[in-house]
Amino acid sequence: MLASSLEQHINSVYQYHCLDPVNFILLFQPVQFGNTSRPGSPPTGGEHGHGSPFTMGDESISKTEFDQAFTSNGFDAPPTAYYNAFISPRVKNLAGITSKRELAMFLANVIHETGGLKYLEEINGHESCKKGKYRDVWGSNPAEPNKNKCYHGRGPIQLTYPQNYHDASLAIFKDAATLIDNPERVLTDKQTGWETAAWYWGSRVGNQPGVKEGQFGSSINAINGAEECRGQNQDKAAKRKEYYANIFRLWRISGQVDLSGC
């Protein structure tokens, strides 16, 4: 990503979803999707941190391929610690990713949102909170924000808004208070960061029409469709598509790249 485009990306504010102006980070274990996990496989690190593949049915992705998803798009390979957190079974279960193609979709969006996993916290997020942003709650079980906390973008997927912190906390920790009272944990704890990213994908993106069928544009629509599919930031959608197409080809995924849905 060129410096000017990255600066524009950092300064843009995504108000619609979990991802926000500053970009985020995210991800799993040479993890095995579906019911293909080998008994006794280490939950993190171990041999997998050195490039052993993880499988989804008859497909596999190594640590090397994970790194290449970033480097082929002009970013540095992430530190191994991020990969080790990414490959945990908890992340796998929360994300519900069922194919190599869907994992490529997930990573392409992560790369775009985080500037290649460089930005874990929204720039000027606290200032945005002071101006009254990120207060919204919704749904049948509305969050009760801690008035002393700010719910700006943090972590792999730039979790924002108290309701998203609330719902992610319930799914991950079985109580709302963990992230409502300590939203900073999404930033400071790599495992929690990946888990919130996985939760967001599984509950807000991967279950949307077209995503499981491989329509990459549908994932963009689920994440920030109002801005990037129908609004003024369609150039950002084009960049996401570029990242996805690069990963798709690099990983030699079967079939054709499908960018429809946005």
Side-chain angles (χ1 to χ4, degrees), residues 58-159:
D58 59 356
E59 297 179 303
S60 65
I61 302 168
S62 67
K63 169 65 163 60
T64 298
E65 287 179 297
F66 177 83
D67 289 347
Q68 288 174 341
F70 293 85
T71 59
S72 68
N73 281 306
F75 301 98
D76 293 337
T80 299
Y82 289 120
Y83 177 75
N84 289 343
F86 164 72
I87 62 177
S88 78
R90 283 173 59 86
V91 174
K92 176 199 70 172
N93 293 335
L94 286 161
I97 292 175
T98 58
S99 69
K100 190 172 185 177
R101 180 178 60 185
E102 187 182 352
L103 182 58
M105 295 166 71
F106 174 67
L107 277 176
N109 281 299
V110 168
I111 289 169
H112 175 77
E113 292 293 341
T114 60
L117 298 185
K118 297 297 183 184
Y119 300 95
L120 298 174
E121 184 173 27
E122 178 184 340
I123 294 173
N124 297 324
H126 288 284
E127 292 302 315
S128 295
C129 285
K130 290 177 182 178
K131 295 177 181 178
K133 196 176 179 184
Y134 306 134
R135 293 179 178 177
D136 295 352
V137 298
W138 56 80
S140 59
N141 185 18
E144 296 182 9
N146 183 323
K147 64 181 181 180
N148 296 315
K149 296 294 182 178
C150 178
Y151 302 97
H152 61 278
R154 297 183 181 90
I157 214 158
Q158 290 293 286
L159 198 69

Side-chain angles (χ1 to χ4, degrees), residues 21 25 55 62 69-70 95-96 108 114 160 171 185 194 209-210 232 250:
I25 290 190
T55 62
S62 67
F70 293 85
T114 60
T160 59
R185 179 169 175 164
W194 282 131
Q232 299 180 348
L250 178 72

